Amino acid sequence: MVVKLKVWRQAGPGQPGKLVDYVADKVHPDMSFLEMLDVVNEGLIRKGDDPIAFDSDCREGICGSCGVVIDGIPHGPDKGATTCQVHMRRFKNGDTITIEPFRARAFPVLKDLVVNRSAFDRIIAAGGYVSMNVGGAPDANSLPIAKAMADQAMDSAQCIGCGACVAACKNAAAHLFTSAKISHLGVLPQGEPERDRRVVRMVEQMDREGFGSCSNEGECEAVCPKKISISNIARMNRDFLRAIV
Amino acid sequence: MILDSKTPSGPIGDKWDRRKFENKLVSPANRRKFQVIVVGTGLAGASAAASLGELGYPVKVFGIHESPRRAHSIAAQGGINAAKNYRNDGDSVYRLFYDTIKGGDYRAREANVYRLAQVSVNIIDQCVAQGVPFAREYGGLLDNRSFGGAQVSRTFYARGQTGQQLLLGAYQSMMRQVNAGTVTLHQRREMLDLVVVDGHARGIVCRNLVTGELESHEADAVLLCTGGYGTVFYLSTNAVNSNVTAAWRAHKRGAYFANPCFTQIHPTCIPVSGDHQSKLTLMSESLRNDGRVWVPKSQGDRRPPAQIPDADRDYYLERRYPAFGNLVPRDVASRAAKAVCDEGRGAGDSGLSVYLDFADAIKRNGEDTIKARYGNLFDMYARITDENPYQVPMRIYPAVHYTMGGLWVDYNLQSTVPGLFVLGEANFSDHGANRLGASALMQGLADGYFVAPYTVANYLGGTNLPPVKASHDAFGAAKADAQGRIDKVLQVKGTRTVREFHRAIGAICWDHVGMARTEAGLAGAISQIRTLREEFWLDVIVPGDANNLNPGLDYAGRVADYMEFAEVLALDALERRESCGGHFREESQTPDGEALRKDDEYSYVSAWEFKGVGAPPELHKEPLIFEEVHPTQRSYK
Ligand SMILES: Cc1cc2nc3c(=O)[nH]c(=O)nc-3n(C[C@H](O)[C@H](O)[C@H](O)COP(=O)(O)OP(=O)(O)OC[C@H]3O[C@@H](n4cnc5c(N)ncnc54)[C@H](O)[C@@H]3O)c2cc1C
Ligand code: FES
């Protein structure tokens, strides 16, 4: 099959960018979306042109490196999937596909489709951990944790930090990302002692990074490849209020 | 050079305690005077950086990824082993040690493996305390499963995302140290050289992958935690940016490379679908607990699987290995799949796959039970192949998965360059010729949390290290080398892309240094690799320039290193004229086609010393001495 592409090209941070047209022929329906881009890039390289820069690594939906906006939707048309998990059989012969970077004030574009999401690392550094040193841990089974609670923690802990939630939000808020970590640690007894301090520090850092505020539209949850629930945000807000009063 | 493993004397159970006691310590006030570099932020690197930071050492961390959390360890699915014996099923430190030595086909160092089994129990405690959400039972205690054919249940897991949760635990601990100011992050940096001054590792040269700038960083010790070299085969289950570059450049500066031919091919991966394929996806080994592996009995039977009656099917693992059946170890299952496909009995259009059938399990336990056990894996399979594994048997084929070989290290995890320590998949230390499932995560965290903090301190406390500045000539020379290589690859301006070359080197390795290896095949592979390397430097085309973000240039550097590395990979396979673990030499097999080890001749670690590109490396042998476990021929019949 053949598809037409409109791809965001931008030479570097702070430089102007624009959508450029390409044609991807010899597309096989079993190709992944990123393999289709690989093939387009091979063609560009052979012609001496600059290939389209994009991030990816695991190519199986877990590292959070990939992430582009496909026809207006972060990670594209498949629910619960990352960009690297989208296959070309999702598109029809002759389709035009628009590909743009995840856009947010806190995610500056480095080149083409590559953005800098290190703001997420700084949010974690502000308090997304249990403060314990290696060596001091008690036996792992000394503290039973109800299965339901462990499962709930795992639901939140599955976040891959890809930033689709931010890209989907009209305010470019990072509430889903931040709240997922707060819930993961907050529901577990190990995270309880720092629960107040953690939420305050992480929320403050989120604001400092220039992420927007949450207006409860649920766009983040809709695009999350790991289906992280928006109820995490409500929990974060409750914890925050509890901590500051 | 005589390879001294520096293994402590005494009974095996006391060796590590003895070493910890003999080790020099560094007082808390003095720690901040030392600079440590950690390259890589997977399980090994992140855990080492966090631990050293907590102790008060200033640590600079480097990685090619945007964020430390994106390291390849994130993708591990199945689980992590530990000798907790929470199941009361007869596990013990000694049994985990024994299983690992045997699973590695008696090609690992006993003392290292024993220590690994010892500290495995601490890892689980550490991770739970960090908040890693391991699977639990209704009573609130940790759940375990049996993995990779082990006869005890010692594998801890977090759904199908164990690597992710363990890495996030280590990453978060490291980020706590970033916040505390002991650890500084240098992401999107690629290590291009190790800087050696007066025989000691004193820093690295790396490239800022966003600006293209070459940077020098000095240190008192360098910890290499840069993962394995599986992507030399082009297609593998590894993340696509995995590479041998950092380890290879350290090798060129004096670190010996050990057992490169010990590579692991995983039997259950989704088969190749076409030329465009960029990587292969692993289907967890746990599927073999319920799935039955088969191919048609007769060659060229192209009927859809549902139309092939039981009488025309060959459940070849159950037939050949009645005791272990579908649960034989990875190397055995992989070779058996290749054998039936080579006979022309493979499934699918390419004939390069075998069926993994859940029909009987679904009949026995119901679809809901199977869904509860493997739902996410079935979904993943359906997404990639567009086939419904509840109705049609899965098709699987072996793929390169893990590399047991790596830089040679002694018991202290120190390489042949003093001050250069190597952790995780990047070293060769613990898995011999074949790694057991769920043991790589264990080793990465053991090295980083519980071994390196002691042995690095001993080195720092016991070595006279005069101050070295990044302005030292050695840094200048290393930088010039790195720059020269970048300029050279950009200047070729040929006609074939880096990916074409990567595919070509991968094909040579897969065909001749893959599941079955022969004298003639390996000798031929070495000359093909040399030719391809020459062609690379004459005809490669690399886009763009060196002064900005240019993934094509980064890729070219990594593939250029594979062009050199592949030669020692093949040479090591050629020189080891026995079969053991993942290394199968067709000339060395039993009458019924099983691997035949030759302990009299090959009970050693091969450690290769670099002598120049194209020049034969020198082989050094570290004899393996078995005091605890008596080597026997593995049998899974
Ligand atoms: C699909 C899959 C599933 C697996 N499942 C399991 C499992 O269930 N259980 C198990 O025990 N094992 C499993 N493994 C194996 C295990 O995941 C790896 O062996 C282990 O995670 C390696 O960890 P590491 O810390 O050594 O290296 P990695 O996690 O590979 O990290 C390498 C680090 O080095 C950095 N780096 C690389 N090159 C450079 C360079 N040149 N300069 C600077 N930095 C560099 C990278 O940025 C990265 O941070 C699995 C592997 C795969 C592929
Ligand atoms: S490349 Fe890892 S999530 Fe897509």
Side-chain angles (χ1 to χ4, degrees):
Chain A
M1 59 197 250
V2 177
V3 293
K4 293 176 211 141
L5 307 177
K6 289 185 176 302
V7 185
W8 184 260
R9 302 302 308 261
Q10 178 174 339
Q15 298 192 31
K18 62 172 193 295
L19 288 171
V20 177
D21 293 341
Y22 299 94
V23 175
D25 46 11
K26 299 193 213 112
V27 173
H28 194 282
D30 284 341
M31 277 181 178
S32 74
F33 187 82
L34 294 183
E35 285 167 349
M36 181 274 294
L37 284 182
D38 287 341
V39 172
V40 170
N41 274 347
E42 291 284 290
L44 292 175
I45 293 169
R46 279 196 204 95
K47 283 196 293 182
D49 290 345
D50 197 21
I52 301 158
F54 63 91
D55 260 338
S56 80
D57 200 27
C58 73
R59 297 207 173 187
E60 54 187 56
I62 191 73
C63 74
S65 296
C66 69
V68 296
V69 177
I70 304 173
D71 289 334
I73 307 171
H75 290 311
D78 286 353
K79 284 254 179 262
T82 54
T83 303
C84 60
Q85 293 178 299
V86 175
H87 282 78
M88 293 311 290
R89 64 179 85 93
R90 278 306 252 118
F91 302 91
K92 291 192 301 293
N93 192 25
D95 274 0
T96 300
I97 309 171
T98 307
I99 311 172
E100 293 168 276
F102 280 3
R103 291 185 197 282
R105 188 148 72 97
F107 290 170
V109 172
L110 295 177
K111 187 177 179 184
D112 302 338
L113 305 171
V114 180
V115 299
N116 179 0
R117 291 164 288 192
S118 57
F120 275 5
D121 290 326
R122 292 186 292 274
I123 292 175
I124 297 296
Y129 38 75
V130 173
S131 297
M132 56 86 57
N133 283 4
V134 178
D139 183 85
N141 260 351
S142 61
L143 182 66
I145 297 175
K147 183 175 186 314
M149 216 187 249
D151 286 346
Q152 195 192 335
M154 183 63 198
D155 288 341
S156 304
Q158 293 192 76
C159 168
I160 59 172
C162 64
C165 47
V166 176
C169 175
K170 68 178 176 12
N171 308 324
H175 284 57
L176 194 63
F177 168 80
T178 310
S179 67
K181 186 48 62 190
I182 288 171
S183 297
H184 159 210
L185 296 173
V187 302
L188 293 174
Q190 287 88 358
E192 180 63 28
E194 291 173 285
R195 190 165 152 193
D196 290 353
R197 186 178 117 104
R198 176 181 310 116
V199 66
V200 171
R201 297 184 53 155
M202 289 178 73
V203 167
E204 283 175 1
Q205 187 65 32
M206 185 173 83
D207 293 341
R208 265 198 294 277
E209 296 289 347
F211 290 106
S213 55
C214 171
S215 47
N216 263 315
E217 319 261 338
E219 299 285 352
C220 50
E221 184 186 67
V223 301
C224 176
K226 296 294 149 187
K227 301 186 179 159
I228 305 277
S229 163
I230 197 170
S231 64
N232 287 297
I233 300 182
R235 188 190 159 95
M236 173 173 83
N237 291 339
R238 278 199 309 275
D239 275 10
F240 187 76
L241 279 177
R242 192 185 86 145
I244 56 169
V245 295
Chain B
M1 178 178 187
I2 305 283
L3 284 173
D4 178 3
S5 70
K6 302 209 176 71
T7 303
S9 56
I12 195 139
D14 300 342
K15 285 182 194 289
W16 181 227
D17 273 346
R18 175 184 295 243
R19 175 55 43 86
K20 284 192 286 187
F21 179 70
E22 289 164 356
N23 273 348
K24 301 263 185 330
L25 299 175
V26 180
S27 75
N30 279 339
R31 292 179 196 155
R32 75 176 87 91
K33 295 179 189 155
F34 294 102
Q35 178 68 56
V36 178
I37 281 179
V38 174
V39 189
T41 64
L43 288 182
S47 58
S51 313
L52 291 164
E54 286 165 9
L55 288 165
Y57 295 99
V59 183
K60 284 186 179 179
V61 170
F62 297 82
I64 55 174
H65 291 92
E66 173 204 24
S67 161
R69 66 183 289 158
R70 309 211 193 285
H72 163 61
S73 293
I74 201 92
Q77 302 169 350
I80 177 168
N81 286 332
K84 280 288 197 185
N85 194 30
Y86 282 161
R87 287 311 176 95
N88 197 28
D89 57 1
D91 201 9
S92 62
V93 166
Y94 202 90
R95 187 176 295 280
L96 175 55
F97 155 70
Y98 175 85
D99 287 354
T100 308
I101 288 284
K102 177 184 175 208
D105 219 357
Y106 307 96
R107 290 293 172 266
R109 200 188 281 147
E110 277 189 343
N112 283 58
V113 175
Y114 193 87
R115 174 180 63 193
L116 176 67
Q118 275 177 309
V119 303
S120 69
V121 297
N122 306 109
I123 296 173
I124 303 303
D125 300 343
Q126 164 70 14
C127 295
V128 166
Q130 284 171 336
V132 169
F134 283 123
R136 285 177 185 269
E137 299 173 323
Y138 283 103
L141 302 184
L142 293 166
D143 193 15
N144 288 122
R145 61 184 172 201
S146 145
F147 202 71
Q151 286 158 311
V152 293
S153 292
R154 62 159 78 99
T155 305
F156 295 77
Y157 64 100
R159 291 196 191 144
Q161 290 118 287
T162 315
Q164 179 197 29
Q165 294 310 314
L166 296 175
L167 182 60
L168 291 180
Y171 156 79
Q172 288 163 200
S173 287
M174 180 175 78
M175 295 312 286
R176 171 171 165 248
Q177 293 308 309
V178 169
N179 189 54
T182 55
V183 172
T184 50
L185 292 185
H186 303 259
Q187 292 303 128
R188 292 197 194 265
R189 299 288 199 297
E190 177 145 4
M191 171 176 158
L192 292 184
D193 214 341
L194 176 76
V195 178
V196 181
V197 177
D198 296 333
H200 290 257
R202 296 310 301 267
I204 63 168
V205 165
C206 66
R207 183 163 175 271
N208 180 324
L209 300 180
V210 178
T211 64
E213 197 185 332
L214 290 179
E215 302 170 354
S216 296
H217 296 271
E218 68 273 18
D220 298 295
V222 176
L223 278 58
L224 218 62
C225 315
T226 46
Y229 49 84
T231 50
V232 67
F233 292 86
Y234 185 61
L235 289 181
S236 78
T237 61
N238 293 12
V240 295
N241 298 312
S242 304
N243 65 85
V244 79
T245 288
W248 188 247
R249 306 280 171 104
H251 173 62
K252 289 171 110 172
R253 294 284 175 195
Y256 292 4
F257 215 109
N259 297 339
C261 82
F262 290 165
T263 53
Q264 179 166 81
I265 308 224
H266 199 294
T268 52
C269 302
I270 298 180
V272 174
S273 77
D275 287 345
H276 53 265
Q277 193 98 26
S278 60
K279 77 154 291 192
L280 295 169
T281 302
L282 174 74
M283 288 276 99
S284 168
E285 177 147 68
S286 59
L287 291 170
R288 287 198 278 145
N289 287 326
D290 282 302
R292 297 181 70 195
V293 178
W294 64 274
V295 289
K297 272 191 180 152
S298 49
Q299 278 182 4
D301 186 342
R302 286 270 168 266
R303 284 177 289 175
Q307 288 169 22
I308 302 181
D310 235 30
D312 294 347
R313 298 177 176 191
D314 179 12
Y315 293 91
Y316 59 90
L317 288 177
E318 297 170 21
R319 174 172 57 78
R320 280 179 67 178
Y321 306 99
F324 280 71
N326 294 296
L327 292 174
V328 290
R330 291 174 178 180
D331 52 335
V332 178
S334 294
R335 271 199 299 279
K338 179 182 184 321
V340 293
C341 292
D342 288 351
E343 288 166 17
R345 298 195 286 139
D349 292 341
S350 63
L352 286 177
S353 64
V354 300
Y355 292 117
L356 180 62
D357 201 332
F358 291 87
D360 288 344
I362 290 173
K363 221 178 282 161
R364 191 174 58 235
N365 301 312
E367 188 169 320
D368 287 347
T369 308
I370 296 302
K371 192 172 264 167
R373 280 185 200 159
Y374 310 111
N376 60 339
L377 294 168
F378 277 43
D379 290 351
M380 186 156 102
Y381 182 85
R383 201 198 298 277
I384 292 173
T385 62
D386 210 23
E387 283 176 1
N388 179 350
Y390 293 101
Q391 283 158 12
V392 193
M394 284 186 178
R395 284 189 308 111
I396 52 163
Y397 198 63
V400 173
H401 180 57
Y402 181 86
T403 55
M404 282 75 69
L407 293 179
W408 185 88
V409 289
D410 62 16
Y411 185 75
N412 298 328
L413 303 183
Q414 185 168 240
S415 71
T416 46
V417 178
L420 176 70
F421 294 79
V422 190
L423 283 59
E425 194 173 339
N427 74 23
F428 89 105
S429 69
D430 294 355
H431 308 292
N434 177 49
R435 173 177 71 79
L436 293 181
S439 285
L441 302 182
M442 169 173 75
Q443 183 224 332
L445 292 181
D447 290 357
Y449 285 135
F450 297 109
V451 180
Y454 294 91
T455 59
V456 171
N458 175 58
Y459 170 78
L460 294 173
T463 316
N464 180 22
L465 293 164
V468 165
K469 286 262 162 291
S471 53
H472 190 284
D473 287 350
F475 284 90
K479 248 181 169 171
D481 276 4
Q483 188 64 52
R485 216 172 149 82
I486 291 169
D487 294 342
K488 189 172 156 197
V489 81
L490 282 169
Q491 273 155 17
V492 180
K493 295 194 182 8
T495 63
R496 289 161 73 186
T497 63
V498 176
R499 192 176 292 276
E500 286 173 71
F501 279 105
H502 193 184
R503 241 188 236 122
I505 194 94
I508 298 172
C509 293
W510 179 245
D511 289 344
H512 302 294
V513 204
M515 282 186 278
R517 304 158 174 192
T518 64
E519 190 82 18
L522 290 164
I526 291 173
S527 73
Q528 286 178 43
I529 291 162
R530 288 187 182 149
T531 311
L532 190 68
R533 184 167 66 230
E534 279 167 26
E535 289 171 15
F536 178 89
W537 288 106
L538 290 173
D539 197 26
V540 73
I541 173 165
V542 179
D545 59 41
N547 308 320
N548 60 24
L549 190 139
N550 184 354
L553 175 61
D554 313 339
Y555 187 33
R558 295 170 197 158
V559 173
D561 287 334
Y562 275 144
M563 293 287 165
E564 297 174 7
F565 168 74
E567 201 175 321
V568 72
L569 173 72
L571 181 63
D572 188 45
L574 179 66
E575 292 296 324
R576 189 172 280 278
R577 293 178 176 85
E578 65 160 349
S579 297
C580 59
H583 171 63
F584 188 72
R585 284 291 302 261
E586 287 189 1
E587 301 89 347
S588 185
Q589 50 181 310
T590 61
D592 47 359
E594 304 300 331
L596 182 66
R597 241 181 29 240
K598 295 184 181 163
D599 290 338
D600 294 347
E601 294 170 80
Y602 294 99
S603 190
Y604 58 75
V605 175
S606 305
W608 297 93
E609 180 182 1
F610 184 75
K611 293 284 182 185
V613 177
E618 186 179 342
L619 176 60
H620 302 266
K621 298 175 184 175
E622 180 202 334
L624 289 167
I625 296 147
F626 293 92
E627 290 174 340
E628 292 291 326
V629 183
H630 181 64
T632 51
Q633 203 71 31
R634 288 190 311 170
S635 170
Y636 296 93
K637 295 259 172 200

